Every structure is written in C-alpha cells, then in structure tokens.
Amino acid sequence: ERKQNEDAASMRVTSEVEAKVGALSSQVADLAARLLEVEGNLDFVRENEPSSLTEAPRMTLSAHSEGAPSQPSALQEKLEAIAAHLEIVDD
C-alpha cells in the first residue's frame, strides 16, 4: 500500500510538472510570436523612414508638443520591455 501511495504521489507530481511545462511552452510560443510581430513592425518602420535629409519628417514639432508619442520611441519601449521579459524568463 505504501508503494501504491508513492506511485500515486509521483504520478500527481509528474502531471503537475507536465502542466507547468506546457503552460511555459505556450508562453514562450506567444512571446516568440510577439517578437516576430515587433521585428516585422521594426522592418516596416525602417522601410518607411525618409531616405534623405531633404524629405519632410513624418511627425511635426506640434504633434510632439501635444503629447503624441513618436513611433520609433514607442517601438523602442516595446523592444526594451520584451528584452526585460526575456531576461526574466531566461533566469
């Protein structure tokens, strides 16, 4: 009977670990998908940036003064947040 109780406890622990690994795997997959999305947005921003200094900037000074965030800084913040999350997950 003791062996049976140990086997049951071992099976329960194993299933709990499998569930946690599955959840973690899902989170990593979601993070990977989000990272691909951010990388795609970064490529899009790079492709749409003015190619020379003579072109007009996309955002005017008045837009900045009204509190509208510029796209590159918002993207940078997202990338920094993802990097911080990856460091936490890696630890």
Side-chain angles (χ1 to χ4, degrees), residues 8-65:
S10 176
M11 289 172 60
R12 183 179 37 111
V13 168
T14 300
S15 65
E16 288 174 3
V17 169
E18 286 176 351
K20 288 179 182 180
V21 168
L24 184 58
S25 177
S26 176
Q27 288 177 342
V28 169
D30 291 345
L31 186 57
R34 179 68 178 122
L35 185 57
L36 287 174
E37 179 183 341
V38 169
E39 288 174 343
N41 288 340
L42 181 58
D43 289 340
F44 178 79
V45 168
R46 285 181 180 156
E47 290 171 2
N48 291 317
E49 284 182 346
S51 59
S52 71
L53 296 175
T54 59
E55 293 182 29
R58 287 180 292 177
M59 188 167 267
T60 64
L61 184 59
S62 63
H64 275 296
S65 64

